[in-house]
Amino acid sequence: MQLSSLSVGYTLGIVWVTNTVVRDFTALLFLLTLTLLLGVSYLVWAQKSSIRQGAANAASAVRVDILFSHHQYDTDVSTALFKEKLSQSDIFLMEYPAWSTEWEKDINAISRGEMAPSNFLLRWNVSEEEANTTFQFLKFQVENLYQSHIFVTSIDLAADDPLSVAIQDYLPVMDQIQFSTDFTKTLEFERAKYSYFMNLQRTRQQQMLQSFNMLVTAIQQGELPSVPEKPEINILYLLGSNHVRVYDLLQQTEAEVTKEYARAPYTYDYAGELTLKFIAEEPVSDLLLAYGLVQTQIMRTYGLYWSHDKEKPARFLKTVIPAFTLEEIGSLFTTMAQASNPDMAFMQLYSRLSVEKELVLPPAKKEEFDNLTI
């Protein structure tokens, strides 16, 4: 019996009693019986509904597939792989440490095919030049999300989070080198800046874990209308490879978590190695810090001719830099500290040492670099 039918019966009963013999005991008994039936029926219906809803939510197991990449250029993940992963997922988690409600709304409009990726970039003040350089990976993601009809959200920091602001403000410092005629002070500056910045990243990762737990709760309680009710909810998380610790953190949850690298083999450059070690709070040698300094200076001096790739440059850097000893690197940077033009001094000294060591110099043009076999 439906509630609507009972309600009608109840109303008719009241009318009947009112219009006939209100004082009649039989009519009063009928009214009480009808009221009791209505109450019992409602309680049974509510309990069954609650049980069904609870069972459906409890059955929503969560599976997370983390796809690690260099997370910078449009070649870091193949389009075919990304689209295949999207087609197998119910939710796409986006790494973006300045998330907002408006950003999520627009990204999902792209997913539904209601907003063109180019309009999104314009709306968020990303010029065409920036979309093809600095924001290549963002452009890659929104273009492939278009009409995918997947729900997009994030467990990253909100745009107004003080931690997000602190991270964005410190990014330029990470590219700085503090030259000193005492090379130990240069290394101390490197160690201090990595230690500070990676502490921010550790805190960010911890907050990502908390946000993930909140997301799982929302899924299991049916609070996300765009996510289908099904026994297993599949989440694709496209994450920068420096956030390997996030994989370890998510394994502490009830979710099933797997990881995969977008490329095989996958190479961490020296900045990546330093990042992983500082986040993991592992010992970091002066030699590794020195290798990171040489890498920064090579990329600064010779230019980003590899701006559409990350893997091959990483292999190149890890082929040539280990040929230098800590003492040689110290002497190199001490000379730079005394020069009026440190970048020019580096290019001259590095070129001479590379010839002596029979190392391949960074090509002057991207086409030359593309032709290198590494």
Side-chain angles (χ1 to χ4, degrees), residues 168-211:
Q168 298 301 320
D169 288 347
Y170 203 76
L171 281 173
V173 179
M174 293 302 294
D175 289 328
Q176 295 177 9
I177 297 176
Q178 188 179 78
F179 293 105
S180 173
T181 53
D182 182 355
F183 187 58
T184 58
K185 291 184 178 180
T186 300
L187 292 176
E188 287 172 3
F189 176 75
E190 287 297 295
R191 191 176 295 277
K193 78 178 187 183
Y194 267 100
S195 179
Y196 174 77
F197 190 67
M198 297 316 154
N199 184 55
L200 296 179
Q201 294 291 354
R202 283 181 60 85
T203 305
R204 173 190 175 193
Q205 292 171 349
Q206 205 66 41
Q207 291 187 205
M208 291 161 81
L209 171 62
Q210 296 173 6
S211 297

Side-chain angles (χ1 to χ4, degrees), residues 302 305-306 362-371:
Y302 288 91
Y305 46 80
W306 42 53
K365 297 180 180 180
K366 181 181 182 299
E367 291 75 17
E368 296 175 3
F369 182 78
D370 289 342
N371 291 330

Side-chain angles (χ1 to χ4, degrees), residues 126-325:
V126 178
S127 68
E128 184 176 351
E129 180 182 355
E130 289 174 324
N132 292 317
T133 52
T134 310
F135 294 100
Q136 278 187 40
F137 200 69
L138 172 61
K139 180 185 177 185
F140 166 83
Q141 290 178 89
V142 296
E143 286 183 343
N144 286 287
L145 283 169
Y146 184 64
Q147 293 184 330
S148 64
H149 298 283
I150 189 172
F151 177 64
V152 185
T153 188
S154 180
I155 58 173
D156 217 327
L157 301 174
D160 57 355
D161 191 310
L163 181 57
S164 175
V165 176
I167 288 173
Q168 298 301 320
D169 288 347
Y170 203 76
L171 281 173
V173 179
M174 293 302 294
D175 289 328
Q176 295 177 9
I177 297 176
Q178 188 179 78
F179 293 105
S180 173
T181 53
D182 182 355
F183 187 58
T184 58
K185 291 184 178 180
T186 300
L187 292 176
E188 287 172 3
F189 176 75
E190 287 297 295
R191 191 176 295 277
K193 78 178 187 183
Y194 267 100
S195 179
Y196 174 77
F197 190 67
M198 297 316 154
N199 184 55
L200 296 179
Q201 294 291 354
R202 283 181 60 85
T203 305
R204 173 190 175 193
Q205 292 171 349
Q206 205 66 41
Q207 291 187 205
M208 291 161 81
L209 171 62
Q210 296 173 6
S211 297
F212 177 77
N213 286 329
M214 293 172 62
L215 175 64
V216 171
T217 299
I219 292 171
Q220 295 182 335
Q221 292 184 354
E223 297 175 357
L224 302 176
S226 299
V227 178
E229 286 190 10
K230 50 191 291 194
E232 182 178 80
I233 299 299
N234 294 294
I235 299 175
L236 172 62
Y237 198 0
L238 188 54
L239 197 58
S241 58
N242 288 341
H243 292 294
V244 172
R245 180 171 172 264
V246 173
Y247 167 75
D248 298 328
L249 291 174
L250 295 190
Q251 283 195 309
Q252 300 173 13
T253 70
E254 296 180 359
E256 178 186 349
V257 187
T258 59
K259 66 177 179 180
E260 178 182 348
Y261 283 82
R263 288 186 171 190
Y266 189 92
T267 307
Y268 282 93
D269 61 16
Y270 290 113
E273 283 193 25
L274 285 165
T275 295
L276 294 183
K277 284 186 172 293
F278 274 97
I279 287 179
E281 299 181 307
E282 297 176 355
V284 176
S285 67
D286 285 347
L287 182 59
L288 184 57
L289 284 168
Y291 283 173
L293 282 167
V294 176
Q295 172 177 311
T296 299
Q297 196 60 46
I298 287 176
M299 297 185 72
R300 175 185 297 175
T301 304
Y302 288 91
L304 294 177
Y305 46 80
W306 42 53
S307 63
H308 290 275
D309 195 3
K310 282 285 286 185
E311 178 63 26
K312 190 172 181 179
R315 294 199 305 268
F316 173 78
L317 292 165
K318 299 194 81 169
T319 298
V320 297
I321 294 177
F324 295 85
T325 66

Side-chain angles (χ1 to χ4, degrees), residues 62-89:
V62 176
R63 182 181 179 278
V64 184
D65 181 11
I66 300 180
L67 183 61
F68 286 118
S69 77
H70 289 294
H71 208 261
Q72 187 169 355
Y73 301 125
D74 55 12
T75 55
D76 291 340
V77 181
S78 75
T79 299
L81 176 62
F82 187 41
K83 287 193 171 183
E84 177 187 355
K85 294 281 187 181
L86 283 175
S87 68
Q88 299 168 352
S89 305

